Amino acid sequence: MRGFGRLWGFARPYSGMLVVAFVAAVVASALDGVTFALLVPFLRVLFGGDAVGAAVGDVTVVERVLNDVAGLALAGGRDAAFRNVVFLMVGAVILKNVFVYTAGSKAAFLSEAVARDLRSALYRHIQLLGLKFHQRMKGGQFVSRMVADVDQARQVVSESIISAVQNLFLVLVYVTILFALAWPLALMTLVLAPAIALLLRPILRGLRERMKDAVEQRGEAAAIAIETLEGARLVKAHAAEEYEQRRFDQAVGRYLSKAVGAKRLAVLSHPVSETLGAVLILLVLAAGVSRTGMEGLTVRPEVLVAFLAVTIRLLPPVKSLSQFPANAEHALVAARRVFEILDLPPDDIDPPSAATFPGLARRIEFDDVWFAYDPGTWVLRGVNLTVRLGEVVAIVGASGAGKSTLVDLLPRFIEPVRGEVRVDGVPLTRYSRRSVRRLIGIVSQHTVIFNDSVRANIAYGDEEGADLAAVEAAAQAANAHDFIVRLPQGYDTLLGERGMTLSGGERQRIALARALLRDSPIVVFDEATSALDSESDRLVREAVGRLLEHRTVLVIAHRLSTVSRADQIIVLDRGRIVERGRHDDLVAAGGLYQRLHMVELAAMRA
């Protein structure tokens, strides 16, 4: 089965535990067979004979083995023999279940350990993937793969395979006992039993694609649920609860359709195998009864009863083995969805030769930079820009002009398709991404607040190195200290999922405090467009002013009034720089910047 080898790689570190589980499963299977083998002397004594002797006919191989191994225990009077047989059976059952527990407990630990390692590898790998992956992968799809798909995938290398091994040895033990009891009946059973597996093959063949479609639809439903939770404020603001409910119901409806189709095929194997098993038992019984009436009584009553008991006991492991390919295929479909992500080439890593970024001494240069997220669709077209040490450069333009893409080149979230970004004449690609990002402070338009304390949010990325005094100083510079100390636990207050307990202005000031604490010499600032009351807007503007002091800054401006004092303003239109200069000069030039400025003034008057 394709994919099993890769899954086995995650179980290999626990191979010793897996061996213990296998051995325990095999011993349990053997002891289970011993329990049923003891039925022969038990029934013989019950019918009035000796435990180790044959009243009529030939002695079976089972009886000869028991006589050699436990002859003394089974010898003696009827009562003593009966008691000893019972004790041996109870002892074998107890010992068998000790080994069953050992195999099951080891398999359970192995299952959880494989799931943990697989999730850890998946999470570690996505940290090495660039923003392109994060922008395109739906959150719900990823959560579905990390949680549900990993849960299914782990089974095939732990509990399911150990169960399959145990069932396989049970079948071997039972078949051996059947041949030892009555080989003609056993031969007939062995010929008829494979029909169960053969008739199930068409069912198993159609299961794979249906399971793949089902897990895809489950991921879509999870994605919608997460999007709705993250956008709860917007959903309620637009009274869109019923719309989102319909969207989610449609998604889970599609999942229901796919899942039921797959389950029907899986469930169909049970009645088919049950019917075939019943037919098999009836045929064996008919043949056994027929043979008991033959001359010589070659199948004695107690042997026939034991044979039927073992045959009945043989059916569940045979059924389980016949279902194992379907269960394994289900698990491997899930595993392939996990490996689809693990197989993505990491594009956010550096070669060992990458140098440590020393910082900015003179200038940053964007030299004939072109970029496209998709081949042929250029977002940036031949951008040439120089940012000198200590300058504030504002980037303006209509939505979709390429502003965010341009600033994403500096921390190397993306790489130019053509051209080059240089710092002090050295290509930025010569430095490690981690060292570059450590010296660049980034304040995003979309403020990210984690479900953690205020202190942890401000000190994010440097929780151990930043003491409370430094965190408080950054909060004061961001005009956030006053509202923080009014929170129930001050700087230890948990902010909740996405900081929903804070206002928009408070979230922005927490983000500004985070950037001020980092004290990076280069700042990329995506100006927020949140509608704030006048007091919050004033406090945020003051904090932004402190952030931009004595630093080299690239600021994406959504309100032109905020960049009137920028050292340089560049105007982007469809990925090209169409204008550059200072505010007054650009307004007087009568180009795109002037039109944007007039639109903003009109909006403010309105």
Side-chain angles (χ1 to χ4, degrees):
M1 298 179 199
R2 190 166 56 91
F4 177 76
R6 296 187 64 182
L7 276 174
W8 172 248
F10 285 89
R12 191 172 292 115
Y14 311 99
S15 55
M17 185 174 298
L18 193 60
V19 168
V20 172
F22 280 161
V23 170
V26 170
V27 174
S29 301
L31 289 170
D32 197 73
V34 169
T35 303
F36 280 92
L38 287 168
L39 274 176
V40 176
F42 177 82
L43 293 171
R44 180 180 291 282
V45 173
L46 195 62
F47 292 154
D50 295 329
V52 295
V56 289
D58 297 328
V59 177
T60 65
V61 176
V62 169
E63 291 169 294
R64 286 199 296 270
V65 171
L66 289 175
N67 186 42
D68 292 339
V69 175
L72 293 176
L74 299 176
R78 181 178 183 277
D79 292 340
F82 187 79
R83 181 185 66 244
N84 292 341
V85 170
V86 170
F87 283 157
L88 284 174
M89 292 181 71
V90 171
V93 169
I94 292 173
L95 195 57
K96 180 200 79 170
N97 283 288
V98 168
F99 282 99
V100 167
Y101 171 78
T102 301
S105 62
K106 298 299 182 185
F109 178 86
L110 177 62
S111 175
E112 295 300 330
V114 168
R116 177 201 61 193
D117 294 349
L118 194 53
R119 289 191 179 107
S120 181
L122 188 59
Y123 191 81
R124 187 183 307 111
H125 189 71
I126 67 167
Q127 307 303 318
L128 304 177
L129 299 176
L131 288 182
K132 195 171 186 179
F133 166 80
H134 295 278
Q135 290 166 348
R136 296 187 176 184
M137 171 60 72
K138 294 181 180 180
Q141 281 284 6
F142 178 72
V143 170
S144 174
R145 297 188 194 207
M146 177 169 276
V147 179
D149 289 340
V150 169
D151 274 339
Q152 291 170 0
R154 67 180 178 176
Q155 300 294 331
V156 76
V157 293
S158 54
E159 295 167 344
S160 293
I161 196 168
I162 291 172
S163 176
V165 168
Q166 185 171 356
N167 285 324
L168 177 62
F169 274 91
L170 277 174
V171 170
L172 293 176
V173 169
Y174 291 155
V175 168
T176 301
I177 293 173
L178 290 177
F179 271 93
L181 287 173
W183 71 265
L185 293 180
L187 189 61
M188 184 182 72
T189 302
L190 200 61
V191 170
L192 294 176
I196 299 175
L198 289 174
L199 290 178
L200 288 175
R201 286 184 65 183
I203 298 173
L204 301 177
R205 198 177 300 124
L207 189 61
R208 179 183 303 178
E209 288 303 319
R210 286 175 173 80
M211 288 309 308
K212 182 178 179 181
D213 292 342
V215 293
E216 287 289 344
Q217 290 302 324
R218 183 186 59 205
E220 287 297 320
I224 292 172
I226 290 177
E227 287 173 355
T228 304
L229 290 173
E230 291 179 347
R233 188 185 298 272
L234 180 66
V235 172
K236 293 185 179 299
H238 288 263
E241 291 89 347
E242 291 186 5
Y243 167 76
E244 292 296 341
Q245 184 67 53
R246 286 197 303 273
R247 201 159 69 103
F248 183 77
D249 287 346
Q250 289 170 358
V252 294
R254 289 191 295 270
Y255 169 66
L256 173 66
S257 175
K258 301 293 184 182
V260 167
K263 292 291 184 183
R264 281 174 177 165
L265 286 177
V267 170
L268 185 60
S269 63
H270 291 273
V272 170
S273 60
E274 193 80 27
T275 303
L276 291 173
V279 171
L280 175 62
I281 291 172
L282 290 173
L283 289 174
V284 170
L285 181 61
V289 169
S290 174
R291 290 182 64 81
T292 57
M294 294 169 63
E295 185 180 355
L297 296 176
T298 53
V299 179
R300 303 189 308 277
E302 68 272 17
V303 173
L304 180 60
V305 172
F307 189 95
L308 285 175
V310 175
T311 302
I312 294 171
R313 190 72 178 88
L314 176 65
L315 291 179
V318 168
K319 185 192 300 184
S320 181
L321 284 174
S322 69
Q323 292 166 356
F324 177 73
N327 296 332
E329 185 58 41
H330 189 181
L332 292 174
V333 166
R336 282 192 283 271
R337 281 169 46 86
V338 174
F339 291 132
E340 281 177 6
I341 296 178
L342 289 176
D343 288 339
L344 293 174
D347 53 2
D348 200 40
I349 58 175
D350 300 296
S353 59
T356 301
F357 182 54
L360 174 64
R362 296 184 303 277
R363 64 184 178 275
I364 301 168
E365 298 171 287
F366 295 80
D367 183 13
D368 193 29
V369 170
W370 292 69
F371 181 81
Y373 291 101
D374 299 306
T377 307
W378 295 108
V379 181
L380 295 177
R381 303 164 182 264
V383 172
N384 291 282
L385 172 65
T386 299
V387 182
R388 292 176 177 80
L389 178 67
E391 274 192 337
V392 175
V393 175
I395 305 167
V396 301
S399 178
K403 302 185 295 295
S404 296
T405 301
L406 179 60
V407 298
D408 280 348
L409 291 166
L410 190 55
R412 297 188 63 193
F413 292 150
I414 55 177
E415 302 289 354
V417 176
R418 301 182 196 166
E420 198 171 55
V421 181
R422 294 190 294 270
V423 176
D424 297 329
V426 179
L428 200 58
T429 52
R430 297 215 185 148
Y431 302 120
S432 69
R433 289 172 172 83
R434 187 177 182 84
S435 66
V436 169
R437 292 166 188 170
R438 282 195 172 278
L439 294 181
I440 298 177
I442 300 174
V443 182
S444 173
Q445 176 185 358
H446 304 288
T447 304
V448 177
I449 301 294
F450 296 96
N451 187 14
D452 207 335
S453 68
V454 176
R455 178 179 178 177
N457 268 279
I458 294 176
Y460 183 71
D462 192 27
E463 294 86 346
E464 296 180 0
D467 57 26
L468 182 57
V471 171
E472 289 183 357
Q476 288 174 340
N479 289 333
H481 178 74
D482 290 343
F483 85 78
I484 291 173
V485 296
R486 291 195 297 269
L487 295 174
Q489 284 83 41
Y491 282 86
D492 294 322
T493 303
L494 293 177
L495 295 180
E497 191 75 19
R498 298 181 300 280
M500 295 292 286
T501 58
L502 302 178
S503 68
E506 289 169 342
R507 288 198 296 272
Q508 288 180 17
R509 281 178 276 167
I510 291 287
L512 290 168
R514 185 186 295 156
L516 285 161
L517 177 67
R518 192 167 187 175
D519 196 25
S520 302
I522 304 171
V523 172
V524 173
F525 181 68
D526 192 347
E527 182 194 33
T529 57
S530 300
L532 304 178
D533 60 79
S534 57
E535 179 62 16
S536 294
D537 188 62
R538 181 185 66 79
L539 293 172
V540 169
R541 283 173 181 270
E542 287 180 2
V544 170
R546 295 189 187 101
L547 175 65
L548 304 187
E549 285 178 354
H550 312 301
R551 291 178 173 86
T552 304
V553 181
L554 275 77
V555 55
I556 297 176
H558 300 277
R559 293 179 296 184
L560 303 187
S561 58
T562 63
V563 298
S564 58
R565 297 182 182 178
D567 298 298
Q568 183 182 180
I569 300 172
I570 68 165
V571 183
L572 280 177
D573 183 33
R574 298 180 183 179
R576 297 185 184 275
I577 297 179
V578 295
E579 293 180 283
R580 70 180 78 208
R582 296 181 68 90
H583 174 74
D584 292 339
D585 297 333
L586 291 174
V587 170
L592 177 58
Y593 186 85
Q594 184 196 59
R595 293 197 296 274
L596 294 172
H597 181 62
M598 297 303 292
V599 170
E600 184 174 297
L601 289 177
M604 292 173 62
R605 294 192 190 101

